[in-house]
Amino acid sequence: MALLSIVLPAYNEEQNIPNTARVLSELLSKNQIEYELVFISDGSGDGTFEEIRKEAQRDVRIKGAEFSRNFGKEAGIFAGLELASGDAVVVMDCDLQHPPETIPEMWEKWKAGAEIVEGIKKSRGKESLGYKLSAGLFYKIMSRLIKMDMSSSSDFKLLDRKVVEVLLGLPERNTFFRALTFWAGFRTEAVYYEVQERQYGESKWSFFSLMKYAVANATSFSTLPLQLVTVMGIISILFSVILAIQTLLKYLMGSAVEGFTTVILLILIIGGFLMLSLGIIGHYIARIYEEVKGRPKYIISKVTDNIQGNVLGAWKK
């Protein structure tokens, strides 16, 4: 019988772990789906891993690992994919804002031949106006940069084992899971869901963390920001040519250029373009530097007793 693995990255989700394990176990058992739950504690500062360990002792189908520090959600997802052994793998949030009731529908689509089942949001649920605006800006930026519609996409998706192996085989360290599943291709279908409210805790994402996440993912997946440097150079040249023509005409007409305002503005504009260009290039150089070092995406410091093999320390796959 086919096995379904559910990967659940968690950061300071101590209160959610028991409820999430109970809800998913009941749902999957009711639908007669063989399953395992893989929790990844992303260097949590509370008792998240202790709760994972308790659940693993209660049910052998629940297992988990903890990072040595906070490595980020992307690392948590890929660690879960590494530890998952299912024929199909679902990635979802530990707080159950991704509704578990959608999983059986994903499972049926997978059994019918789908290799990727995307969870598409109908709405963003009850979120603050500021968070909705920042999230909306994030998805607009990402959609433009990677040339894919990211406005309704999420990390909530089901992957066939062959897709999981493709993603795990990628050598890059800076990954963007959500976009990589688009890039990988394969037969894709969609399910639609309403974002649920959290029962416990608050979202760990702020405006600044979303923007940082956007920049990191944009530069890891797209070279479009580098092309902006060329665009800014062309704008500067055109602006300089127009200003040169204007100055020459005034000279021929016997009119002197008044003051230093034009010169100051030119210096500020060109200087601003140069600094922005250097910043973009510098960010890509930093990414190259990180990739060349070849450090692992994450380091596992603890695992539950039911995980086989030596996975502690630097995970180098």
Side-chain angles (χ1 to χ4, degrees), residues 89-156:
V89 180
V90 168
V91 176
M92 66 184 295
D93 288 348
C94 182
D95 55 17
L96 297 186
Q97 287 194 289
H98 295 151
E101 296 76 17
T102 311
I103 294 175
E105 184 182 354
M106 288 179 158
W107 179 251
E108 291 302 321
K109 287 183 179 290
W110 174 74
K111 289 201 297 184
E115 294 164 316
I116 299 176
V117 183
E118 292 281 349
I120 306 297
K121 300 172 188 172
K122 290 181 181 178
S123 69
R124 297 203 59 85
K126 295 181 180 180
E127 296 173 342
S128 67
L129 179 60
Y131 186 85
K132 284 185 177 180
L133 290 175
S134 58
L137 180 60
F138 166 76
Y139 290 119
K140 284 182 181 178
I141 292 172
M142 293 309 303
S143 296
R144 291 288 181 89
L145 289 176
I146 68 177
K147 298 178 181 178
M148 300 174 186
D149 184 12
M150 303 291 292
S151 58
S152 300
S153 69
S154 69
D155 292 325
F156 186 31

Side-chain angles (χ1 to χ4, degrees), residues 41 86 89 101 119 138 193 218 227 264 275:
S41 175
V89 180
E101 296 76 17
F138 166 76
Y193 69 94
Q227 298 171 30
I264 293 171
M275 295 305 292

Side-chain angles (χ1 to χ4, degrees), residues 147-192:
K147 298 178 181 178
M148 300 174 186
D149 184 12
M150 303 291 292
S151 58
S152 300
S153 69
S154 69
D155 292 325
F156 186 31
K157 56 191 69 185
L158 179 147
L159 308 176
D160 184 83
R161 170 50 58 179
K162 69 179 73 171
V163 183
V164 172
E165 294 300 329
V166 166
L167 295 182
L168 293 178
L170 297 176
E172 62 204 68
R173 302 294 183 223
N174 296 295
T175 54
F176 185 22
F177 171 73
R178 197 173 304 183
L180 283 174
T181 56
F182 281 97
W183 169 85
F186 294 101
R187 178 181 168 184
T188 302
E189 293 193 25
V191 295
Y192 297 88

